[in-house]
């Protein structure tokens, strides 16, 4: 269906279709290469965002390390002797050390301190959370068991009034290389805020401005979120952040949390969240159970790749349209003379061979126009000769039609004569024999009723009449269609025909056959039999011959029949010609039968 429609397109449309396909392939390759480059740029952006997230995680780890360093610096003051004894107010003094540094970290501040022995028992505490000693011991015992190094980060132990708990920093104070010392637990609260997170503002010494690439990065603002292992946002920096509530990103990074891996992905918020899609870089926070999530809207994070993509599509679209316009103008100049030739050809196809072809062109189209004009002149001359031949053919067809009509009338007459002959024979022979049989049967019945000795004679007479009647009916049936043709084939049928038609006339018949055992299709055998029957009938009635030879040869799927007699002969052209005077239809009928089989008669 598509191929048929394509074949019916005009020349210019077809050329333009080729141009469109070629341009589509060319610009498609350009688009693929361009999109590949844009994809590489996008991957670079993703890697840069992941690097920024790792940097942020490193800043947090640095701040946790500063807490550990501060605790280790106060270790002698806290535990001057045995780890199970601490000076009074040691936890309060340590908490005061952290409060002296208001800009200790931009992400969290210290809210309280626990001093634990080497088994997790509470030695002293200050600040919040202020939990019962048994609760502290339970949490402390678990924390001491899970602390494998000198410093560890753990989830917050309890609520803090007016603030959001962030994490616990556990620091082991070593008494000696051979023994495990007590543990200091520093409780922190998050410093969430609505201002955007600017990575370049963190990690710089006070009073020093960023330079180089760092200065360029100051314009990069993000949303920062620290997510706990339970999916709660512990820290939120940036607008629309909700620390203390379940993080909307946890479902997207849950697989990363399970494997402790890092990745950059595009987060598509659900319809109910009312947020735009954004690029999200998620990295684990060191050995802690927390995750750092750094996010930025897609249109901001991928501004450069998106701009490059839009420029690529715009350039491809404009180039495609301009190229199509140039191709249309160029092909129009080529196609216009072709359309003139097409209209001239349509006039010639409609029969107008008198109008000359005038196309102005100097290229191959002009040569085609000259060739078409020469063809028009030759066709015009040929048309005149064809019209003359048609007139002669019409005359011959009229003669042929007249002959066929004559044949038809003769055939109908012959059919009626055959029916009349059958009716006469049935009346004269069969009907009279049936009447005689009826009378004989009636006499037999009367003799039987009377007990006459002539009853046996009557029965024999009736049987003789019935046998003659049966013979007569068989003769009629054989005259219509001999059963030997159907039962035994064409050659036995020919032998029977010659014996029945010529032998009783004293005409000697010889039959010559090759491959006689081959059976032809039924309609072929019937046609050949009827042709031979007509020829034998003509010989018997008109030839006055003494000898007849019938030849039948079957080779290579071809049947060849030859009939020769030594009779008087006749004028073939005069007999079968349109001016035939004897009105015979035999030879014409033979010609028609042979013609139906696709053969020839001579």
């Amino acid at each position: 269906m598509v191929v048929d429609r394509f074949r019916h397109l005009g020349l210019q449309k077809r050329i333009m279709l080729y141009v469109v396909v070629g341009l589509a392939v060319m610009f498609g390759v350009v688009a693929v290469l361009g999109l590949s480059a844009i994809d590489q740029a996008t991957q670079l952006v993703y890697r840069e965002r992941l690097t920024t997230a790792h940097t942020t995680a490193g800043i947090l780890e640095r701040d946790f390390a500063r807490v550990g360093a501060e605790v280790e610096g106060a270790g002698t003051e806290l535990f001057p002797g045995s780890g199970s004894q601490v000076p009074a107010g040691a936890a309060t003094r340590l908490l005061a050390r952290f409060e002296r540094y208001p800009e200790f970290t931009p992400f969290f501040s210290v809210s309280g301190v626990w001093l634990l022995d080497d088994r997790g028992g509470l030695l002293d505490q200050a600040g919040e959370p202020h939990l019962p000693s048994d609760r502290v011991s339970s949490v402390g015992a678990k924390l001491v068991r899970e602390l494998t190094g000198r410093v560890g980060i753990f989830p917050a132990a309890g609520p803090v009034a007016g603030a959001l708990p962030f994490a616990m920093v556990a620091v082991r104070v070593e008494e000696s290389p051979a023994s495990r010392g007590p543990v200091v637990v520093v409780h922190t609260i998050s410093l969430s805020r609505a201002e955007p997170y600017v990575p370049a503002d963190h990690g710089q010494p006070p009073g020093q401005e960023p330079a180089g690439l760092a200065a360029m990065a100051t314009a990069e603002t993000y949303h920062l979120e620290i997510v706990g292992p339970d999916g709660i946002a512990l820290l939120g920096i940036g607008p629309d952040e909700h620390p203390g509530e379940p993080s909307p990103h946890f479902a997207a990074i849950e697989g990363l949390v399970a494997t402790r891996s890092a990745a950059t992905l595009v987060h598509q918020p659900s319809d109910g969240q009312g947020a735009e899609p954004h690029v999200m870089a998620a990295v684990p926070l060191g050995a802690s159970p927390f995750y750092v999530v750094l996010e930025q809207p897609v249109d901001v994070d991928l501004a450069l790749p998106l701009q490059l993509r839009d420029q690529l599509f715009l350039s491809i679209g404009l180039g495609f349209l301009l190229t199509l316009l140039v191709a249309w103008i160029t092909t129009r100049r080529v196609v216009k003379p072709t359309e003139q030739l097409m209209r001239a050809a349509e006039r010639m196809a409609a029969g107008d061979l008198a109008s000359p072809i005038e196309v102005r062109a100097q290229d191959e189209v002009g040569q085609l126009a000259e060739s078409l004009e020469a063809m028009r002149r030759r066709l015009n001359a040929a048309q005149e000769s064809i019209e003359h031949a048609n007139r002669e053919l019409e005359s011959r067809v009229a003669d042929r039609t007249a002959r066929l009509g004559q044949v038809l009338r003769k055939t109908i007459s012959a059919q009626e004569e055959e029916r009349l002959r059958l009716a006469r024979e049935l009346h004269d022979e069969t009907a009279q024999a049936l009447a005689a049989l009826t009378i004989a049967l009636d006499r037999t019945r009367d003799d039987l009723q009377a007990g006459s000795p002539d009853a046996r004679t009557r029965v024999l007479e009736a049987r003789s009449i019935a046998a003659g009647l049966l013979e007569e009916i068989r003769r009629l049936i054989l005259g219509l269609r001999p059963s030997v043709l159907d039962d035994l084939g064409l050659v036995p049928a020919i032998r029977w025909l010659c014996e029945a038609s010529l032998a009783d006339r004293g005409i000697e018949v010889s039959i010559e056959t090759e491959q006689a055992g081959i059976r032809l299709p039924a309609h072929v055998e019937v046609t050949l039999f009827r042709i031979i029957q007509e020829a034998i009938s003509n010989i018997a009635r008109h030839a006055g011959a003494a000898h007849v030879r019938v030849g039948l040869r079957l080779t290579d799927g071809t049947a060849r029949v030859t009939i020769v007699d030594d009779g008087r002969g006749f004028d073939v052209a005069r007999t079968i010609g349109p001016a035939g005077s004897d009105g015979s239809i035999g030879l014409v009928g033979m010609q028609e039968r042979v013609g139906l089989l696709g053969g020839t008669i001579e």
Side-chain angles (χ1 to χ4, degrees):
M1 183 65 70
V2 176
V3 175
D4 292 339
R5 292 182 179 177
F6 176 77
R7 291 175 178 174
H8 288 85
L9 289 177
L11 180 59
Q12 186 171 15
K13 292 182 179 179
R14 191 179 301 180
I15 294 175
M16 291 303 299
L17 182 59
Y18 292 145
V19 172
V20 169
V21 172
L23 290 178
V25 172
M26 181 182 68
F27 284 109
V29 172
V30 173
V32 169
L33 295 177
L35 291 176
S36 177
I38 292 174
D39 182 68
Q40 293 178 4
T42 303
Q43 296 302 321
L44 288 175
V45 172
Y46 286 164
R47 287 196 290 270
E48 189 273 334
R49 296 301 179 263
L50 196 62
T51 301
T52 303
H54 279 295
T55 302
T56 301
I59 295 174
L60 274 166
E61 292 176 8
R62 180 203 63 184
D63 292 343
F64 286 133
R66 290 177 64 185
V67 172
E70 190 69 24
V71 172
E72 290 177 349
T76 304
E77 180 183 350
L78 295 176
F79 303 100
S82 172
S84 62
Q85 298 292 330
V86 296
T92 301
R93 288 195 300 275
L94 179 59
L95 179 62
R97 289 173 65 98
F98 289 109
E99 292 176 347
R100 286 198 299 269
Y101 304 105
E103 296 182 356
F104 185 76
T105 172
F107 301 111
F108 61 85
S109 63
V110 177
S111 63
V113 175
W114 288 351
L115 303 181
L116 307 177
D117 59 20
D118 57 355
R119 296 184 178 180
L122 179 63
L123 299 177
D124 192 12
Q125 66 175 331
E128 295 192 30
H130 193 79
L131 302 179
S133 58
D134 57 346
R135 171 65 175 160
V136 174
S137 298
S138 175
V139 174
K142 179 180 179 182
L143 186 147
V144 169
R145 287 195 305 270
E146 296 178 356
L147 181 60
T148 57
R150 292 185 59 83
V151 180
I153 312 299
F154 299 91
V160 177
L164 179 64
F166 183 61
M168 293 187 300
V169 182
V171 183
R172 187 181 298 279
V173 180
E174 297 289 348
E175 290 184 341
S176 66
S179 64
R180 298 178 61 190
V183 174
V184 178
V185 179
V186 180
H187 300 276
T188 63
I189 57 175
S190 62
L191 299 179
S192 301
R193 55 189 179 273
E195 293 80 9
Y197 172 63
V198 182
D201 291 345
H202 301 282
Q204 297 290 337
Q208 180 176 347
E209 295 295 331
L213 293 177
M216 296 176 60
T218 55
E220 294 288 343
T221 60
Y222 300 87
H223 291 222
L224 175 64
E225 190 176 65
I226 308 297
V227 183
D230 55 356
I232 301 299
L234 302 177
L235 172 68
I237 299 178
D240 299 326
E241 294 295 329
H242 302 282
E245 299 180 3
S247 171
H249 308 115
F250 188 72
I253 67 172
E254 195 169 4
L256 299 177
V257 174
T259 57
R260 301 297 294 172
S261 55
T264 302
L265 49 90
V266 177
H267 183 217
Q268 297 284 349
S270 59
D271 295 336
Q273 293 179 355
E276 296 295 330
H278 49 269
V279 177
M280 182 173 64
V283 298
L285 182 55
S288 73
F290 308 120
Y291 249 76
V292 176
V293 178
L294 203 64
E295 61 173 291
Q296 196 174 39
V298 170
D299 55 351
V300 175
D301 191 82
L302 302 178
L304 180 59
L306 292 176
Q307 182 181 4
L308 292 176
R309 185 192 63 183
D310 294 340
Q311 291 178 354
L312 175 65
F313 288 159
L314 179 61
S315 301
I316 290 177
L318 290 177
F320 189 82
L321 294 177
L322 289 176
T323 307
L324 280 182
L325 180 60
V326 173
W328 177 267
I329 296 174
T330 304
T331 55
R332 187 60 189 167
R333 294 181 178 179
V334 176
V335 170
K336 186 176 180 180
T338 307
E339 291 178 347
Q340 294 176 347
L341 283 178
M342 182 183 67
R343 287 192 291 269
E346 289 176 350
R347 290 197 305 269
M348 293 174 60
D352 182 9
L353 298 176
S355 301
I357 299 174
E358 297 178 355
V359 176
R360 295 182 179 179
Q362 302 298 326
D363 50 9
E364 290 83 354
V365 178
Q367 297 177 2
L368 178 61
E370 295 176 357
S371 301
L372 192 61
E373 171 63 18
M375 183 178 68
R376 181 195 66 80
R377 290 192 294 266
R378 289 194 296 269
L379 286 176
N380 193 18
Q383 185 180 30
E384 295 178 355
S385 62
I386 290 174
E387 290 178 352
H388 177 71
N390 285 339
R391 288 191 293 269
E392 293 183 356
L393 182 59
E394 289 175 357
S395 176
R396 294 181 182 179
V397 169
D399 294 341
R400 178 72 170 175
T401 303
R403 288 180 58 192
L404 290 177
Q406 183 181 10
V407 170
L408 181 60
R409 288 191 296 271
K410 296 294 185 180
T411 301
I412 294 175
S413 298
Q415 289 178 348
E416 293 301 324
E417 290 176 1
E418 182 66 16
R419 291 174 181 176
L420 180 60
R421 181 185 67 81
L422 289 175
R424 185 182 300 112
E425 290 188 3
L426 290 173
H427 178 270
D428 294 344
E429 302 291 339
T430 307
Q432 291 181 8
L434 288 174
L437 180 60
T438 301
I439 294 172
L441 291 175
D442 289 340
R443 289 179 179 178
T444 303
R445 180 195 60 193
D446 295 340
D447 290 341
L448 289 174
Q449 291 176 352
S452 173
D454 297 332
R456 176 180 176 81
T457 303
R458 302 296 185 189
V459 172
L460 293 176
E461 291 178 359
R463 183 180 182 281
S464 176
I465 294 172
L469 179 60
L470 179 60
E471 185 65 26
E472 180 62 23
I473 292 175
R474 286 178 176 174
R475 184 182 64 80
L476 291 176
I477 292 174
L478 290 175
L480 293 176
R481 181 182 176 95
S483 60
V484 68
L485 177 62
D486 298 323
D487 298 336
L488 301 179
L490 182 60
V491 175
I494 294 174
R495 295 185 187 277
W496 170 85
L497 176 63
C498 292
E499 292 174 359
S501 301
L502 300 178
D504 58 351
R505 299 176 182 269
I507 301 176
E508 182 180 350
V509 180
S510 63
I511 299 176
E512 302 173 357
T513 62
E514 293 183 15
Q515 302 291 334
I518 299 177
R519 291 297 301 267
L520 300 174
H523 69 284
V524 177
E525 288 189 343
V526 171
T527 302
L528 292 178
F529 178 79
R530 293 304 182 190
I531 293 173
I532 297 172
Q533 185 181 32
E534 179 65 27
I536 295 299
S537 176
N538 288 340
I539 292 173
R541 289 184 294 174
H542 308 297
H547 299 86
V548 175
R549 178 170 57 85
V550 179
L552 176 61
R553 183 173 63 183
L554 306 177
T555 56
D556 299 331
T558 301
R560 180 178 181 86
V561 177
T562 305
I563 303 173
V564 180
D565 68 84
D566 56 358
R568 67 175 63 93
F570 58 92
D571 186 351
V572 177
R574 182 173 179 275
T575 302
I576 66 175
S581 58
D582 59 356
S584 174
I585 64 169
L587 292 178
V588 176
M590 294 166 69
Q591 285 181 325
E592 295 298 330
R593 289 180 184 273
V594 173
L596 291 175
L597 291 181
T600 58
I601 185 169
E602 183 177 342

